[in-house]
Amino acid sequence: MPKKNLLPILLTAMTLGTTWAIRGQFGHEQGAAWAGAIACLMLVMVAKRSEWAESGLKASFFGAVGWGLGGMMSYGVLVGYGKSPDFLNASYGLLSLLVVGGLYGFLGGGLFGLGLTDSKERKVPWHQVTVELTVGGLIFYYFIIEQLGWLMTPPRSEAWGVCAGAALALAYFLYRSGYRNALRVALFSGLGAGFGFGFGNFLQTMGQLSGLTFNFWNVMEYSLGFFGGIGMAYGALTSSWQPAKKAAEKSVWPIYGLAVLIPFFVWEQSFWEKEITPMLEKVAPGQMEFWAKAIPVLAFLIWLGLLGLAWKKAKTLKNDLAVSTVSVLQSVCWSLFLAYLAYTFLITGSFMSGYRPEQFLYLVNFGLIWFLVPKSSAQFSGEGIQGAGIWKLFFLILGLLILLAAISSSLHEGLPGMQTRF
């Protein structure tokens, strides 16, 4: 792989790491979709590939949907298993997180890669993809979970089965339809996110053992995003993309999906008085009534700003054929990034208090990304880990996580939040 690609890979990793850590304040599908959207937009932006300029917005929207789908999965119990002083339980926890993180990355990277291949010459049958993923998810869930009773996260939700079925259906569709580049992006994205989740659980355990006062859960979230970003970027930059003979159509609907729909669901699901009252009791007990009303309004005004931006950019893109989609994509990417930063400071009250120091590290990450983006460009070589090498990487990750489980379980006699399955 050309050394030139190290910077765009790092920038994608830092972006998804930062936004996935922010996602921890919101959770669920909408928070994961927002984080995935920014990372996909960033990868298109720093790669500077002409064919991706036109398809980048659409691909980023589908990538956001893919990363967001995993938000239905429950994994809190699995994190507890990873903290166990028993080797079997700790191994089960880390390897289960490999599965959950892998499903996040496979669906996100796969749909993003599929979106990048969508063109006038070869239109992706998205209606067919939707049906196959839905049917695959339902069949897997009801056969594996309901009929066979293979439970991974009892007594929590087993929605991972839906994501697993959808991932298998997506893999089969990509393989039989010849979308090898998208499949490659999905595989590396899944391996990266899966390793990042398991490794992040190990880091969280080590952090708790250190006695330092810090949000080590957030460290775990950053790890998932960082390594998932590495995988997604590596898979995309080392694939053999064929130059499109005809430019993709300038679609404006992805702009509304990215900058309006996803942020609206985050606002609607997160910024209610009952959601922010526990935070206000810590940072502003004497001004709770004021901030309980002001914070949701401020968040809504930010959403209105995104709505105005989307309307303006969509109108310009539709009416002025000379306008480059790249400039629109850049505006959407940076606006979504800044809005997500603003949302996390509002939901945590960090603009009033420094009780959550990791929130300010997001700003450091953003500043570094902002500084390095202009220096980034990619060289698409089509050379990288292939075939058997992917299997070797998988088994290497498997062995490394088992080793980390052995180390972790041998260093303590039990930690707060630990769980026991066996």
Side-chain angles (χ1 to χ4, degrees):
M1 186 188 69
K3 293 182 179 179
K4 190 177 183 180
N5 289 346
L6 292 177
L7 183 55
I9 289 174
L10 175 63
L11 288 170
T12 305
M14 291 178 64
T15 299
L16 189 54
T18 304
T19 54
W20 204 264
I22 293 173
R23 178 252 174 186
Q25 321 310 324
F26 305 102
H28 305 297
E29 295 87 341
Q30 63 274 7
W34 197 338
I38 299 171
C40 291
L41 289 166
M42 181 63 66
L43 177 52
V44 173
M45 189 166 66
V46 297
K48 298 178 181 176
R49 184 180 177 91
S50 58
E51 295 96 305
W52 289 7
E54 304 301 332
S55 61
L57 285 168
K58 183 189 295 183
S60 296
F61 175 76
F62 286 115
V65 171
W67 282 101
L69 283 174
M72 70 176 73
M73 294 185 286
S74 174
Y75 52 79
V77 172
L78 303 179
V79 173
Y81 295 144
K83 296 178 180 179
S84 173
D86 175 71
F87 171 68
L88 179 60
N89 284 287
S91 298
Y92 179 80
L94 266 62
L95 295 180
S96 296
L97 291 173
L98 169 64
V99 174
V100 172
L103 292 174
Y104 267 121
F106 191 93
L107 290 168
L111 291 180
F112 172 65
L114 191 57
L116 291 175
T117 66
D118 199 2
S119 65
K120 290 182 178 179
E121 301 159 332
R122 191 183 186 188
K123 290 185 176 295
V124 174
W126 290 108
H127 58 289
Q128 181 181 343
V129 175
T130 303
V131 171
E132 291 192 21
L133 265 63
T134 302
V135 173
L138 291 174
I139 291 175
F140 188 97
Y141 180 84
Y142 280 100
F143 181 68
I144 299 297
I145 307 299
E146 296 293 334
Q147 295 299 318
L148 298 181
W150 291 1
L151 308 181
M152 186 169 72
T153 61
R156 304 286 182 84
S157 165
E158 301 289 340
W160 68 271
V162 177
C163 293
L168 289 172
L170 177 61
Y172 180 56
F173 171 82
L174 296 176
Y175 180 78
R176 78 170 192 275
S177 302
Y179 292 106
R180 301 304 169 86
N181 290 334
L183 182 58
R184 179 179 173 81
V185 177
L187 287 170
F188 281 105
S189 183
L191 287 173
F195 170 74
F197 210 178
F199 180 59
N201 191 196
F202 172 78
L203 293 178
Q204 183 191 24
T205 302
M206 295 302 101
Q208 284 188 269
L209 289 173
S210 72
L212 297 175
T213 303
F214 193 76
N215 185 352
F216 286 103
W217 185 285
N218 215 219
V219 172
M220 178 179 66
E221 292 167 327
Y222 189 96
S223 177
L224 187 159
F226 186 84
F227 288 100
I230 287 178
M232 185 168 70
Y234 176 83
L237 298 181
T238 57
S239 294
S240 301
W241 303 94
Q242 297 299 319
K245 296 179 181 178
K246 296 181 181 179
E249 296 177 358
K250 290 185 177 181
S251 302
V252 298
W253 62 264
I255 300 176
Y256 290 105
L258 290 165
V260 179
L261 188 63
I262 294 173
F264 172 77
F265 283 125
V266 172
W267 173 81
E268 190 273 334
Q269 291 290 307
S270 304
F271 287 96
W272 295 101
E273 186 172 346
K274 65 178 182 178
E275 303 289 341
I276 60 178
T277 296
M279 173 272 293
L280 292 174
E281 290 175 346
K282 295 180 180 179
V283 302
Q287 300 175 301
M288 284 184 56
E289 185 176 350
F290 170 77
W291 286 114
K293 293 180 173 60
I295 288 177
V297 172
L298 289 171
F300 185 73
L301 291 176
I302 292 172
W303 177 79
L304 283 180
L306 290 174
L307 174 63
L309 172 81
W311 180 82
K312 181 179 179 181
K313 294 300 178 181
K315 183 179 179 181
T316 302
L317 193 64
K318 187 175 182 180
N319 297 334
D320 190 349
L321 297 178
V323 172
S324 170
T325 311
V326 176
S327 63
V328 175
L329 185 142
Q330 290 174 338
S331 297
V332 173
C333 180
W334 290 122
S335 299
L336 281 175
F337 208 152
L338 287 168
Y340 214 21
L341 284 167
Y343 266 28
T344 190
F345 272 82
L346 287 174
I347 200 71
T348 60
S350 297
F351 66 99
M352 294 184 286
S353 170
Y355 82 109
R356 294 284 298 272
E358 80 279 354
Q359 301 293 305
F360 300 92
L361 292 177
Y362 303 156
L363 298 178
V364 175
N365 274 261
F366 178 81
L368 287 172
I369 294 167
W370 179 277
F371 174 75
L372 292 173
V373 161
K375 306 177 185 299
S376 175
S377 62
Q379 181 179 338
F380 291 79
S381 62
E383 298 176 1
I385 300 174
Q386 303 290 338
I390 296 178
W391 281 107
K392 290 179 181 178
L393 179 60
F394 170 72
F395 285 112
L396 176 63
I397 290 172
L398 206 65
L400 183 54
L401 290 179
I402 292 174
L403 175 61
L404 293 177
I407 295 172
S408 172
S409 60
S410 68
L411 293 178
H412 63 91
E413 297 298 326
L415 290 169
M418 76 171 190
Q419 300 284 341
T420 301
R421 174 93 191 253
F422 306 104

